[in-house]
Amino acid sequence: MDLVNADNSSIRRDFVSSEDMKCGCTSRLPLAVISVAVGSCSHFGFHCGVISAPSQVIQEFYNSSHVDRRGIILTESTTRLLWAVTVSILCLGAAVGSILGGYAGDFIGRKRTLLVNNAFSILAALLVILAQYLNVYETVIVARFFAGINIGVSVTVAGIYVAEISPTNIRGSLLAALGIGTNAGLIIAFVRHVV
């Protein structure tokens, strides 16, 4: 038995008893998969979809924040540049997060990596909230970067974690829940804009 299979079976023993291994499912396994799908993968979909509708509001906030702090109105090209950075910085953060997630997943384990990764999501949310109170638009850009790190780690580690805890006969079905979680995040973002 190679090291990968030994590690995989030891992880599965935490979730699956010997009787449950015969049928392929336990009571804790769906809870773990749903937690990963909602807690990790839905962030990816949400952050991809949420930025579309409030673009005009955010650009106006950037301009008013700049006027309040520096007394100068941003030019239209500068506002568009800041908006482009705001949207695209998520991808840069995701690239950094995917690299960090690979190392962290190997070093502290997949489950712990996903739990620690929530700190990036919480930090991003706090920065977005503080942006309006501090009247500093740069915090929105930094928040999007941290949200990107959260997404990169989640996308890198979540699939491996679910594959490791899943019995082989239902592994594909459980991994599909991650895609459903991503699409659910997109739907929530788009419904939020409508309401």
Side-chain angles (χ1 to χ4, degrees), residues 45-76:
F46 183 78
H47 282 286
C48 287
V50 77
I51 202 71
S52 304
S55 63
Q56 190 62 38
V57 174
I58 294 174
Q59 290 177 40
E60 288 171 5
F61 168 69
Y62 284 4
N63 204 4
S64 67
S65 171
H66 194 75
V67 167
D68 290 346
R69 291 185 298 137
R70 296 194 178 98
I72 302 169
I73 297 174
L74 291 172
T75 63
E76 187 177 332

Side-chain angles (χ1 to χ4, degrees), residues 1-44:
M1 183 183 329
D2 61 350
L3 183 60
V4 174
N5 288 337
D7 186 39
N8 190 6
S9 63
S10 68
I11 291 172
R12 274 204 317 256
R13 267 188 252 129
D14 293 341
F15 289 94
V16 182
S17 67
S18 60
E19 296 85 26
D20 291 330
M21 281 298 283
K22 295 174 188 170
C23 70
C25 191
T26 67
S27 60
R28 292 172 59 182
L29 183 63
L31 179 63
V33 172
I34 290 169
S35 297
V36 171
V38 171
S40 295
C41 294
S42 64
H43 290 278
F44 177 42

Side-chain angles (χ1 to χ4, degrees), residues 83-134:
W83 178 246
V85 169
T86 302
V87 173
S88 61
I89 198 84
L90 186 77
C91 296
L92 181 63
V96 171
S98 65
I99 294 168
L100 291 174
Y103 287 118
D106 289 340
F107 186 70
I108 63 172
R110 279 37 153 189
K111 183 178 177 181
R112 286 189 187 102
T113 300
L114 289 172
L115 291 173
V116 170
N117 185 38
N118 291 327
F120 290 112
S121 181
I122 293 168
L123 180 60
L126 290 175
L127 285 173
V128 167
I129 291 168
L130 285 175
Q132 195 167 10
Y133 291 112
L134 298 176

